[in-house]
């Protein structure tokens, strides 16, 4: 027992000198990873075996290939094909798996507080000790304080996908019953998606494909014009973090496919049989509307897990972002003892001080002109230069800042055509608050996990013969390895049998079969194992031959 709460301290590793494996890692530092998602798994994939005692703690015993989750909801892919047992992944590094939930971290004692349910359903708590800890617990769906979300469906985990699939099929079956009234049938066949980000858009596209391709064959009683798909988006465009051309393409595509897109609209309440939402009119007024619905998907973004909220609170002034845990550029959790705790993936963000960077850029500009920065009047052409510089240095910012030009006009309050220092300060504040967040994508979590693995490998090599205690001292991170840099490789969204690519610099849109295969091959390459790849290939082949699997 030990720690502030005097809970049992669990040594996950059995000291077994008969086993070669265990002898090899006996005196190695204990590396504990919280979460077996994109970030955690990328780390495990690239870590050298036997450099660390590896323990993964997660309530889920599988890795989930999230980009394909929308396809699984409508039976294009089998749910089983999207998951990979975490124990399989860990075995390469001879690690251990503890199926439990991290509740808290005692930074000074280096203990993770963990909870688990015993067979009687009582909660058991204990500590797992670490030398190095990686927090990669991801995020939770953001409820935005909306009423009646227990009537909505989410799309975050494999169980969610299963529930959605069963609900969609159930609605179709009910709608076929001869006793069903016309109104009730139309309601059952009205599918509403709240959230016009990639998840909502991909789900809408998959649903539309299902309704179009398989329905007439398997549910001949249903009339296509009785089915409706509605996408509710709070902004003025769907896929609004993508390039304008991409969101325009997606909107046109949906218009042609008769997916109704309701922009400038916010869901206020989800009732069992209808959605209440407000829509902003051209004159700025809000009108409340209703939409009968047989199904509602809630996919309006993510927020912090309970664990991360607790950690941020505990670390007080070191943590100022309300959406994610802040790390330094070596991905070390700000406020925790240096080099002990790292945070990666959706749960984290790297502080990059864009505002500082811009200010030093402006100082240089003022200096070149021989003027005082405080009295500098920034013209639009200067601003373009600043914007270009920011885009180059902070490529992850491009998505958030695609309207940099418009910002200038917005912050030029007196419409003088120049920004004075006060106006500029306001603008920088807004930019900084937006830019501290890296995108919540698998791509980013993967890059960060990969980065940590490389660094940890290097640390272990340099510290051969040293004990865990030696490794802890000093700023080893900066000494052995470079800072983390995010590389934006473009975003990808799937829109009904054609893929939309947004590759950062420029954009390209492709349609037809070629696009589908390009899209699939991107995910094939990202997919974690040969096992998963084969299963997906078989699913696609099966769907091609026999249509979707419509059993619940
Ligand atoms: P996750 O992958 O969510 O992993 C978190 C892990 O932590 C899980 O294993 C979870 O069980 C575990 N965990 C949670 N709480 C605790 C706790 N208290 N203690 C211990 N473990 C815990 N991104 C893209 O780049 N491209 C896409 O096409 C794409 N499509 C997506 C589609 C859908 C439907 C969804 C939901 C997401 C999609 N994403 C996509 C986003 C991507 O999945 C996330 O950005 C990514 O999963 C983040 O990785 P992570 O490791 O931070 O978190
Ligand atoms: Mg993870
Ligand atoms: Mg995951
Ligand atoms: Mg994470
Ligand atoms: Mg002005």
């Amino acid at each position: 027992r030990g720690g502030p709460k005097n809970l049992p301290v669990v040594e996950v590793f059995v000291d077994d000198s008969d086993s070669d494996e265990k002898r090899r890692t006996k005196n190695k530092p204990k590396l504990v990873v919280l979460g077996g998602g994109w970030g955690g798994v990328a780390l495990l994939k690239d870590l050298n075996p036997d450099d660390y005692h590896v323990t993964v703690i997660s309530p889920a015993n599988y890795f989930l290939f999230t980009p394909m989750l929308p396809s699984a909801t409508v039976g294009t892919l089998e749910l089983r094909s999207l998951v990979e047992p975490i124990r399989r992944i860990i075995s390469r590094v001879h690690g251990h798996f503890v199926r439990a939930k991290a509740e808290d971290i005692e930074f000074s004692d280096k203990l993770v507080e963990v909870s688990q349910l015993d067979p009687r359903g009582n909660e058991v708590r204990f500590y797992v000790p670490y030398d190095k800890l990686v927090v990669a617990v991801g995020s939770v769906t953001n409820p935005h304080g909306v009423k009646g979300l227990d009537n909505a469906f989410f799309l975050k985990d494999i169980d969610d996908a299963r529930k959605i699939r069963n609900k969609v099929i159930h609605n179709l079956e009910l709608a076929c019953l001869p006793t069903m009234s016309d109104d009730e049938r139309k309601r059952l066949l009205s599918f509403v998606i709240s959230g016009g980000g990639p998840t909502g858009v991909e789900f809408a596209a998959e649903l539309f494909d299902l309704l179009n391709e398989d329905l007439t064959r398997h549910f001949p009683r249903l009339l296509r014009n009785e089915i409706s798909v509605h996408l509710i988006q709070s902004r003025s465009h769907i896929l609004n973090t993508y390039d304008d051309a991409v969101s325009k393409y997606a909107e046109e595509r949906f218009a042609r496919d008769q997916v109704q897109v309701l922009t400038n609209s916010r869901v206020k309440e989800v009732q069992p049989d209808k959605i209440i939402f407000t829509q902003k009119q051209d004159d700025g007024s809000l009108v409340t509307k209703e939409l009968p619905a047989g199904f509602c998907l809630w996919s309006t973004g993510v927020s912090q897990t309970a664990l991360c909220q607790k950690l941020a609170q505990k670390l007080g002034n070191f943590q100022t972002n309300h959406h994610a845990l802040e790390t330094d550029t070596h991905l070390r959790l700000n406020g925790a003892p240096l080099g002990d705790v790292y945070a990666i993936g959706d749960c984290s963000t790297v502080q990059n001080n864009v505002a500082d960077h811009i200010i030093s850029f402006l100082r240089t500009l003022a200096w070149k002109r021989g003027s005082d920065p405080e009295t500098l009047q920034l013209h639009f052409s200067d601003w373009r230069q600043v914007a270009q510089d920011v885009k180059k240095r902070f490529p992850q910012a491009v998505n958030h800042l695609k309207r940099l030009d418009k910002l200038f006009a917005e912050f030029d309050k007196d419409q003088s055509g120049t920004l004075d220092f006060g106006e500029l300060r306001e603008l920088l504040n807004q930019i900084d608050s937006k830019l501290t967040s890296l995108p919540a994508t698998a791509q980013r979590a993967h890059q960060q996990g990969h980065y940590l693995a490389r660094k940890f490998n290097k640390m272990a090599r340099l510290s051969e013969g040293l004990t865990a205690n030696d490794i802890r001292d000093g700023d080893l991170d900066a000494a052995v390895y470079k800072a983390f840099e995010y590389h934006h490789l473009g975003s990808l969204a799937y829109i009904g049998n054609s893929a939309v690519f947004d590759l950062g610099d420029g954009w390209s849109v492709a349609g037809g079969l070629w696009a589908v295969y390009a899209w699939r091959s991107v995910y094939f390459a990202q997919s974690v194992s040969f096992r998963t790849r084969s299963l997906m290939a078989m699913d696609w082949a099966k769907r091609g031959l026999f249509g979707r699997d419509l059993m619940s």
Side-chain angles (χ1 to χ4, degrees), residues 36-38 63-66:
W38 278 95
F63 164 77
L64 173 62
F65 194 75
T66 48

Side-chain angles (χ1 to χ4, degrees), residues 1-34:
R1 288 187 162 261
K5 293 195 185 160
N6 196 31
L7 297 173
V9 178
V10 177
E11 279 296 342
V12 178
F13 283 83
V14 196
D15 184 5
D16 181 358
S17 44
D18 289 344
S19 146
D20 266 2
E21 252 170 51
K22 292 194 173 118
R23 236 188 354 255
R24 271 203 300 270
T25 49
K26 190 156 175 252
N27 294 315
K28 300 287 165 135
K30 299 184 198 75
L31 172 63
V32 176
V33 181
L34 306 183

Side-chain angles (χ1 to χ4, degrees), residues 135-139 344-348:
V135 184
V137 295
S139 52
I344 59 173
D346 282 7
C347 70
S348 71

Side-chain angles (χ1 to χ4, degrees), residues 478-540:
V480 303
Y481 208 61
K482 59 184 191 239
F484 172 75
E485 251 180 81
Y486 172 70
H487 299 285
H488 188 65
L489 301 175
S491 323
L492 196 61
Y494 169 57
I495 297 155
N497 271 349
S498 71
V500 170
F501 298 82
D502 179 355
L503 297 168
D505 280 344
W507 60 274
S508 62
V509 169
L513 258 193
W514 177 85
V516 180
Y517 287 108
W519 172 75
R520 282 174 190 171
S521 67
V522 169
Y523 283 119
F524 263 138
Q526 277 183 10
S527 181
V528 284
S529 73
F530 182 66
R531 170 186 172 276
T532 304
R533 261 178 278 173
S534 329
L535 288 175
M536 284 190 197
M538 285 191 278
D539 289 349
W540 275 315

